[in-house]
Amino acid sequence: MGSMNSDPMHHRRRPLHESIPPLILGTATFNTQYVHNPFNQEELPSLSIVSRALELGVNAFDTSPYYGPSEIILGSALSHPSITKKHPRSSYFLVTKAGRIAGDVFDYSPAWIRYSIYRSLDRLHTPYLDLVYTHDVEFVSPAEVLAAVRELRRLRDEGVIRHVGISGYPVERLCELAEMVLRETGEPLDAVLSYGHFTIQNTTLGSSAMRRFTNAGVDVVLNASMLGMGLLTTRGVDRGPMATWHPSPEGLRQACQDLVPVAVEAGEKLEVVAIRWSLDNWARTGAPKGGFPRQLPKVRVGVSVMGVSSVAELEETYRVFNSVVEGFAPEDGEDAELARRREWSVNRAEKIQGVVENMWAVLGHWKNYSWNSPEPDFVNVRKATEMGAIPDDDISARYGLRDKSRQKEDEGVDVKITVLPALSI
């Protein structure tokens, strides 16, 4: 796998916004929650998706050990000879998460975070990770988040990862935790990933939240799940694997399905409207905390994460994103063709905005509705005595993780969560 020292200090310290691509391929869809058998290339053509993404220049991938086999499937694709001979590791940006083990199982202890990261390196066949989030921070205490962030930063300083962030659903919680990390450590987060909160149904990740992230020193804020994890699709979430796990209430599901005829009447598909609106508007709203597209390398645009389950979906998303970026082209540019495409992009955005405003009228009180995350009765079933328990497997043996954990205990260093004063969240 290569030496853990292969990541030079000057690369790790480079600001995230200078290297993160503004369109990231999310691979939560490489999972049984979205398809029955994600290992079946006919059902989920993961190798073709990853290969085509790299050909198009969509050279960033987001995954997580919580997404079932996603890391394994993505790693298998990226290490396939047909890809490695054309695309070296340095040519793409790799993101994963740590801390969430299962739906009701979380372990943010430093020992587990370290084990999880080395396991991800192994699954993804990479000597380093470009960005790592603590996964779904709202399910654990602020003290646990702080301990996990500190451990990720130790791994960063060791050259294992390059940038550190947090991810989750409630925007208010993300804001408070970003503020806490700056206050408690004196160093801001590199990234915050919010999902489901900048869509045609929910625009909570707007200017107010962005001001707070700016004040907390966050470098990049990412918008994920533009389709509301399948809510904003013609199919909806009441069929297939999503029906059993999607957290949305029945009223919201029906309200989103009521948007389908609004799109049809406008000569559109709900998915196309949802993707175009989110990509276009987040490119602008998220620009102060965004990245630089290769099409316009001097223009900063908001970073979006988009999951797909087919090459056709990937190509359509890429086409729309390209059109969105063209809308940022200078009005007085000398390139007549680029000026024409810019005008088309602006006109398209105006039409989509009109359709979305009609949809907002249909949504009524369901606009900006967010479900509880976690539910009030949530209990982390990972017992306190299990926190930081490292499996005796090939990963821990190869990197000496159990030995390091025992060494810290012998030295009197607590490898569990350090209890800090309660914070208002």
Side-chain angles (χ1 to χ4, degrees), residues 102-115:
D104 57 356
V105 184
F106 291 79
D107 190 339
Y108 272 48
S109 67
W112 180 264
I113 292 293
R114 180 170 289 265
Y115 169 80

Side-chain angles (χ1 to χ4, degrees), residues 179-410:
E179 292 161 350
M180 176 205 70
V181 169
L182 177 62
R183 182 173 66 249
E184 297 293 329
T185 71
E187 179 184 353
L189 290 165
D190 296 310
V192 173
L193 171 71
S194 169
Y195 72 93
H197 276 101
F198 202 85
T199 72
I200 60 174
Q201 179 267 321
N202 193 325
T203 60
T204 305
L205 187 66
S207 57
S208 176
M210 291 299 286
R211 281 194 296 271
R212 293 183 66 180
F213 288 132
T214 298
N215 292 337
V218 177
D219 187 24
V220 176
V221 178
L222 303 90
N223 178 44
S225 194
M226 292 172 273
L227 297 179
M229 298 188 295
L231 270 177
L232 299 167
T233 62
T234 302
R235 178 184 181 183
V237 296
D238 285 332
R239 291 180 291 171
M242 284 184 288
T244 61
W245 64 264
H246 202 287
S248 57
E250 179 56 38
L252 177 58
R253 296 185 184 197
Q254 184 56 55
C256 290
Q257 281 298 287
D258 291 342
L259 304 181
V260 173
V262 179
V264 172
E265 185 177 353
E268 303 283 354
K269 287 184 65 176
L270 176 57
E271 296 93 328
V272 174
V273 172
I275 292 172
R276 176 80 201 204
W277 187 90
S278 289
L279 281 174
D280 206 335
N281 285 274
W282 184 249
R284 301 170 194 283
T285 300
K289 297 294 168 185
F292 296 96
R294 62 186 183 86
Q295 301 94 324
L296 294 173
K298 296 183 179 180
V299 178
R300 198 170 178 181
V301 302
V303 181
S304 296
V305 182
M306 182 63 191
V308 303
S309 55
S310 71
V311 173
E313 290 177 0
L314 166 67
E315 292 177 338
E316 176 64 12
T317 302
Y318 177 73
R319 184 191 65 78
V320 174
F321 180 75
N322 262 353
S323 176
V324 165
V325 172
E326 288 167 355
F328 283 77
E331 292 187 55
D332 57 350
E334 296 179 359
D335 188 328
E337 176 60 21
L338 185 57
R340 183 193 67 79
R341 292 200 301 268
R342 178 193 181 281
E343 182 179 6
W344 189 93
S345 177
V346 171
N347 291 338
R348 177 68 172 154
E350 290 176 355
K351 181 194 176 182
I352 292 296
Q353 182 64 33
V355 175
V356 169
E357 288 176 6
N358 291 336
M359 290 179 171
W360 287 340
V362 172
L363 283 172
H365 70 278
W366 290 109
K367 183 177 184 292
N368 289 344
Y369 174 89
S370 301
W371 52 79
N372 289 326
S373 181
E375 292 289 345
D377 59 351
F378 171 79
V379 175
N380 182 6
V381 302
R382 185 83 155 181
K383 298 177 182 177
T385 55
E386 298 171 333
M387 294 291 181
I390 302 302
D392 188 7
D393 59 10
D394 289 345
I395 301 299
S396 58
R398 189 181 312 152
Y399 299 107
L401 299 181
R402 289 174 67 85
D403 294 338
K404 290 177 182 177
S405 180
R406 283 193 290 267
Q407 180 182 357
K408 287 183 179 180
E409 290 174 344
D410 291 342

Side-chain angles (χ1 to χ4, degrees), residues 13-27:
R13 299 309 185 198
R14 184 183 180 191
L16 177 59
H17 74 268
E18 293 183 3
S19 59
I20 192 168
L23 181 62
I24 298 176
L25 180 65
T27 63

